[in-house]
Amino acid sequence: MYPKTNSVGKNTALALMAIGIIAFLFSCKPPKEEEEATANKRPNIIFIMSDDHAYQAISAYSDKLINTPNIDRIAKEGMLFEKAFVSNSICAPSRAVILTGKHSHVNGLVDNAVKFDSTQVTFPKILREKGYQTAMIGKWHLKTEPTGFDYWKVLPGQGHYYNPEFRTKNGVELDSGYVTDLITDFAIDWLDEAKESEEPFMLMYQHKAPHREWLPTEENFRKYTKKEFPEPESLLDDYSGRGSAAREAEMRIDTHMGVTSDNKIHPDIAEKMGYENFLTWYPYAYHNNLDRMSPSERAAWEEVYGPINAEFEKANLQGDELTKWKYQRYMQDYLASIESVDENVGRLLDYLEKNGLAENTIIVYTSDQGFYLGEHGWFDKRFMYEESFRTPLMIKWPGVIKEGSRNTDLVQNLDFAETFLDAAGVAIPKEMQGKSMLPLLKGEEVEWRDALYYHYYEYPGIHAVKRHNGVRTDRYKLIHFYYDVDEWELYDLEKDPHEMNNIYEDPAYAEVKKEMHNKLDELMSQYKDEVVMPTEK
């Protein structure tokens, strides 16, 4: 016989059982509903941008020069873009395009001399209005106070590598340390507070490095000054296959790179040896950079660079041998500066994972433009040729972007604002001229653009790269140099990927030339741009 139970006890037991079942059902949401809830949660956004970081100097693209395991993590866990470009290859204009989603002639910032109109619509302003926490930390370079941010801490102008000043809402402060480390420290400090809120965040985490004049940390300059790097095939380019624009540009390693400021030879030694400074500010830049160091930092520097100076003085290099030596010195300091960027990107990625933030955060790594690493004998950027025009771009978004995926569509910095707004579920203003890359990130088959438009304006100006605009398709590139010249260049990127021979007058490409002119006219009309000669002003 079973033991007897009274009706009250039985009813209580049944009630408790029912409550337990209901609680279990609510705690065990079906997987589909859980996925939908996660998908509907607005993602955090971290936009990582370095300055002048060539795609050739990221091992996810090529391991010939450097290994960048932390930056590569973003590509391995997300998507690498093989054809990402800018619309104007120079620092401030690129940043304005990214913020506004509008070409330079529309947002008003056409060159580095112009002050950014901070009253116009930007994606940080829109995200902030829609409830995002927003911050801008690092290099701003727009001559105005950042707007659209709850918090900002930015370098004045170009900023310094050692013991830099930072601008804040409360004024300018001096911080002790190395700039790449400090920018990361400040970013992590802000994230520590932002993560406590229920609202998503958008952080612009922007490095000074590897911008000229390339001052690495002690650990990295001790390592990289011992290395030797392969020379590009066109290091000693004579520009015979192109027009006056390439020949007259003042960015050649042999004659325009500073032995003092750039290659770190003491001005007294350079003067004694008869090496002229192409620009008078080169010796000033040398002292301005090194004199910021603490006594211990300067002692470590001199321990390594002192012998380099002595060896250079003894060698008395000239001609091609001097160019080759300057190239090696350039690569040693430039790549050592990137090493610190990679280390600090790793610090940030580790922080996100440790604090449970990685799963719902879009992480972007890019640069404000490309950069010449000796190709065509150049340093700097500005031209529409590939090394300057093309940028690195990697985007990670767990659960949305397939790990280890690659994209070959023609994308541009013009598309960032639209992409971030779209990902956040926010309407894209009609005035923005780019396209949301969200379908590409999701791996969807969509109709995409078949050509990119480019326009560079800063001439007359430093480096003397003539004004030009142009169009690039998947295979061809048409460039028009204007203002004090009227020259056209056409390249078949499939047959001539290094752009050594202008085929504009080649009869075999007559039909291609016609099609490219039509495409250029089409894009100029679409973006409402024009070429203005001095007499037309």
Side-chain angles (χ1 to χ4, degrees):
M1 295 183 62
Y2 293 102
K4 292 181 179 180
T5 58
N6 60 46
S7 60
V8 174
K10 186 175 181 180
N11 290 339
T12 301
L14 289 172
L16 290 172
M17 184 181 296
I19 292 171
I21 291 171
I22 292 169
F24 176 78
L25 290 173
F26 273 94
S27 65
C28 298
K29 189 185 297 183
K32 185 177 180 181
E33 291 181 25
E34 189 173 310
E35 287 175 8
E36 289 176 354
T38 301
N40 292 331
K41 187 177 180 183
R42 293 183 297 173
N44 303 311
I45 301 167
I46 297 182
F47 181 72
I48 310 172
M49 186 163 73
S50 50
D51 194 307
D52 293 343
H53 191 173
Y55 66 88
Q56 312 95 291
I58 295 178
S59 49
Y61 288 96
S62 172
D63 60 1
K64 291 181 179 179
L65 293 173
I66 191 172
N67 183 33
T68 52
N70 295 297
I71 295 172
D72 290 0
R73 281 167 62 184
I74 301 172
K76 289 177 181 176
E77 297 172 11
M79 179 177 287
L80 180 144
F81 287 81
E82 297 180 1
K83 294 179 180 177
F85 299 86
V86 293
S87 57
N88 184 357
S89 182
I90 187 169
C91 300
S94 176
R95 294 163 194 273
V97 169
I98 289 168
L99 288 168
T100 64
K102 297 183 289 188
H103 275 284
S104 299
H105 66 281
V106 179
N107 69 51
L109 207 160
V110 295
D111 60 37
N112 276 342
V114 178
K115 185 178 181 180
F116 181 59
D117 175 9
S118 57
T119 65
Q120 60 190 305
V121 173
T122 64
F123 81 84
K125 285 183 182 179
I126 297 173
L127 289 179
R128 189 184 186 198
E129 290 170 359
K130 298 299 181 180
Y132 268 75
Q133 306 170 79
T134 58
M136 166 66 220
I137 298 172
K139 187 166 183 179
W140 177 243
H141 200 232
L142 292 175
K143 294 183 169 63
T144 56
E145 288 194 355
T147 56
F149 300 98
D150 299 304
Y151 174 84
W152 55 269
K153 187 168 187 176
V154 299
L155 294 165
Q158 294 289 357
H160 293 281
Y161 277 99
Y162 278 82
N163 306 312
E165 295 92 0
F166 282 87
R167 293 167 54 208
T168 70
K169 292 180 180 179
N170 300 318
V172 178
E173 64 180 46
L174 176 66
D175 290 275
S176 298
Y178 187 69
V179 67
T180 311
D181 298 333
L182 291 169
I183 290 170
T184 307
D185 290 343
F186 303 148
I188 289 175
D189 288 346
W190 183 80
L191 288 171
D192 259 339
E193 295 186 14
K195 68 181 175 63
E196 299 303 320
S197 171
E198 292 296 319
E199 298 300 327
F201 58 77
M202 190 286 296
L203 166 64
M204 298 188 78
Y205 162 58
Q206 303 191 166
H207 287 292
K208 168 186 172 59
H211 193 279
R212 192 182 188 191
E213 289 87 18
W214 319 298
L215 273 71
T217 61
E218 177 184 347
E219 177 185 1
N220 288 322
F221 67 63
R222 286 187 183 278
K223 178 166 58 173
Y224 276 78
T225 50
K226 297 176 182 177
K227 294 188 175 186
E228 185 172 339
F229 300 93
E231 298 174 358
E233 293 179 14
S234 58
L235 178 63
L236 303 177
D237 194 349
D238 63 3
Y239 315 110
S240 58
R242 279 128 298 156
S244 65
R247 292 194 301 271
E248 295 177 19
E250 296 174 349
M251 44 196 270
R252 295 195 300 274
I253 290 172
D254 60 353
T255 53
H256 304 123
M257 177 175 278
V259 167
T260 51
S261 55
D262 296 316
N263 299 139
K264 317 305 188 302
I265 298 300
H266 195 284
D268 291 347
I269 294 176
E271 183 179 4
K272 182 173 67 173
M273 297 181 69
Y275 291 110
E276 295 184 3
N277 288 292
F278 176 69
L279 295 174
T280 56
W281 57 262
Y282 283 0
Y284 165 80
Y286 175 93
H287 289 295
N288 188 43
N289 287 326
L290 272 60
D291 290 352
R292 302 186 64 83
M293 296 178 177
S294 68
S296 61
E297 289 168 340
R298 186 63 180 268
W301 182 275
E302 295 298 344
E303 185 181 335
V304 172
Y305 287 85
I308 290 174
N309 274 250
E311 291 170 8
F312 178 75
E313 185 174 7
K314 182 179 179 180
N316 192 25
L317 301 170
Q318 304 293 330
D320 290 349
E321 291 306 311
L322 176 61
T323 302
K324 291 171 177 285
W325 179 89
K326 292 174 76 174
Y327 167 76
Q328 292 298 331
R329 281 272 51 254
Y330 167 33
M331 284 298 93
Q332 288 167 357
D333 290 344
Y334 176 88
L335 295 170
S337 300
I338 289 173
E339 181 88 0
S340 293
V341 174
D342 186 68
E343 292 164 355
N344 279 278
V345 168
R347 281 179 60 201
L348 187 80
L349 295 178
D350 290 345
Y351 170 87
L352 295 173
E353 291 178 1
K354 182 179 179 181
N355 288 272
L357 299 173
E359 289 305 307
N360 192 42
T361 299
I362 300 171
I363 301 174
V364 177
Y365 187 88
T366 191
S367 179
D368 52 352
Q369 62 263 319
F371 212 67
Y372 292 104
L373 305 186
E375 299 89 0
H376 306 295
W378 288 331
F379 66 103
D380 207 71
K381 55 258 184 179
R382 301 166 197 266
F383 276 113
M384 196 185 170
Y385 302 130
E386 288 294 279
E387 293 85 2
S388 164
F389 182 33
R390 183 181 167 192
T391 60
L393 177 60
M394 289 155 277
I395 305 179
K396 172 181 179 288
W397 189 1
V400 176
I401 298 175
K402 182 181 177 181
E403 291 189 8
S405 54
R406 301 177 81 92
N407 180 279
T408 57
D409 291 299
L410 296 168
V411 299
Q412 208 162 19
N413 60 350
L414 189 70
D415 303 323
F416 289 144
E418 295 84 347
T419 303
F420 297 147
L421 294 175
D422 198 10
V426 176
I428 300 168
K430 291 182 179 180
E431 67 193 72
M432 290 187 173
Q433 297 179 301
K435 301 182 67 167
S436 169
M437 296 186 290
L438 194 59
L440 305 183
L441 300 181
K442 293 179 177 180
E444 297 174 357
E445 291 289 334
V446 294
E447 185 177 341
W448 195 250
R449 64 167 66 93
D450 62 358
L452 295 171
Y453 182 65
Y454 181 88
H455 201 157
Y456 174 81
Y457 302 83
E458 193 171 288
Y459 180 88
I462 187 171
H463 295 300
V465 173
K466 296 181 185 295
R467 298 187 188 193
H468 59 288
N469 71 337
V471 59
R472 186 201 196 279
T473 64
D474 207 41
R475 177 171 176 176
Y476 299 105
K477 182 185 296 181
L478 178 68
I479 307 174
H480 180 208
F481 293 99
Y482 68 94
Y483 190 81
D484 63 340
V485 294
D486 185 11
E487 297 178 352
W488 293 85
E489 294 182 0
L490 176 66
Y491 296 97
D492 183 338
L493 299 172
E494 184 178 289
K495 295 183 177 180
D496 182 21
H498 302 299
E499 297 162 297
M500 299 295 288
N501 297 295
N502 175 20
I503 54 172
Y504 187 78
E505 300 297 344
D506 188 337
Y509 286 89
E511 190 60 33
V512 170
K513 181 168 72 173
K514 180 181 177 182
E515 291 174 0
M516 292 298 286
H517 270 283
N518 289 338
K519 180 58 67 174
L520 178 59
D521 290 343
E522 177 187 319
L523 290 183
M524 291 180 70
S525 175
Q526 175 185 332
Y527 295 125
K528 297 179 174 60
D529 193 21
E530 60 182 344
V531 167
V532 180
M533 304 297 284
T535 56
E536 298 173 342
K537 290 183 178 179

